Amino acid sequence: MPYRLRKLVKVLDEYGIEVERPRSGSHWKLRAKGRRAYVVPAHNGWKTEITDEYIQGLCRHFALERTTILSKLRGRK
Amino acid sequence: MDQRTYNFHVLIHRSETAPHIWVAHCLELGLVSQADSPAAARDAIEEAVTMIVLDDLNAGLDPLDRQPSEEKYQQMAKDLFERGRTVDLSQDDVADREQVSRFLVLLQLSFEKEASPGGKPRAAHLCELGYDNGAAA
């Protein structure tokens, strides 16, 4: 099931991953200390639906445990 | 003009858990984006790739020195190379009309050597392939 970007950003904040919103474009940048930047699709702003496939790629890049992230996303109001 | 040119393979498919969303993977960079149509997903990953390549170049890093996508997506792309047929992704209804569920796009981006933060590359879609679920099985 897809998750809202708002939820995902809150979870990522727990891991020290910060969001940078460019002045234009439909992606936001994600940054964490010691890691290269990644991007997240944000064409509908905070309401953007984020797929499992995206979360898989994100977790792979930032070396996060996918099941933990998904669990946090499901549990978060 | 002094340029850096990169060729990327982009795999586009329906999300397994949210079929109304098309997911795009840049296989070389391990990047993922998504949108509500195959063409929009292609454009979305092009924007994402551009942002990341510029970010790396401006930091003096090699964009290709990133973790590539998972093996299963590499395999999907390989299958498309072997069995896919040329399609026109710019057609809004290409997925329905052609009964295609997966696409592969060869994306070429050319950057000026001294990339600026706001700099935009020249983009070309060298090849667009697609095949249906049956062929993928």
Side-chain angles (χ1 to χ4, degrees):
Chain A
M1 66 180 263
Y3 306 92
R4 297 289 181 189
L5 179 56
R6 181 186 303 278
K7 276 188 179 181
L8 177 63
V9 167
K10 283 182 181 170
V11 170
L12 293 179
D13 185 57
E14 295 176 22
Y15 293 86
I17 299 170
E18 295 175 355
V19 177
E20 183 184 304
R21 299 172 64 170
R23 278 172 291 179
S24 62
S26 60
H27 289 78
W28 297 351
K29 274 188 193 172
L30 300 175
R31 294 190 187 277
K33 205 172 181 180
R35 296 259 173 198
R36 292 187 185 210
Y38 204 71
V39 289
V40 61
H43 49 281
N44 285 331
W46 293 110
K47 291 181 179 175
T48 305
E49 290 182 302
I50 302 296
T51 59
D52 284 359
E53 288 87 350
Y54 174 82
I55 290 169
Q56 196 174 358
L58 172 85
C59 290
R60 193 171 158 86
H61 178 78
F62 286 112
L64 302 174
E65 179 61 45
R66 182 169 163 253
T67 51
T68 307
I69 298 298
L70 290 177
S71 169
K72 284 175 181 279
L73 286 169
R74 286 189 197 109
R76 194 173 280 274
K77 299 291 180 194
Chain B
M1 185 184 289
D2 206 1
Q3 288 185 334
R4 295 184 194 192
T5 298
Y6 297 92
N7 290 315
F8 297 109
H9 294 83
V10 171
L11 176 74
I12 300 169
H13 63 95
R14 281 190 193 277
S15 168
E16 286 180 24
T17 53
H20 60 292
I21 301 175
W22 289 83
V23 181
H25 304 257
C26 175
L27 300 179
E28 287 81 4
L29 303 180
L31 275 183
V32 185
S33 191
Q34 54 181 60
D36 57 7
S37 74
R42 176 201 59 196
D43 294 345
I45 196 76
E46 184 180 312
E47 181 186 289
V49 167
T50 300
M51 287 173 74
I52 285 304
V53 171
L54 280 173
D55 203 85
D56 282 354
L57 290 178
N58 287 327
L61 301 169
D62 180 359
L64 296 178
D65 194 18
R66 283 177 171 256
Q67 190 176 23
S69 297
E70 271 188 88
E71 179 57 33
K72 77 171 185 180
Y73 298 120
Q74 306 279 353
Q75 188 59 50
M76 282 186 198
K78 194 176 167 197
D79 290 345
L80 263 160
F81 255 131
E82 291 171 358
R83 289 182 273 178
R85 62 182 191 274
T86 303
V87 294
D88 181 3
L89 258 179
S90 62
Q91 303 290 318
D92 286 342
D93 59 347
V94 63
D96 297 330
R97 194 162 38 79
E98 303 277 345
Q99 295 187 310
V100 172
S101 62
R102 292 176 188 167
F103 299 91
L104 183 70
V105 178
L106 294 187
L107 172 65
Q108 184 175 77
L109 296 180
S110 298
F111 295 83
E112 286 183 29
K113 195 165 187 180
E114 298 301 326
S116 61
K120 281 203 168 186
R122 256 186 324 123
H125 306 133
L126 300 181
C127 178
E128 295 179 339
L129 301 172
Y131 71 7
D132 60 31
N133 274 333

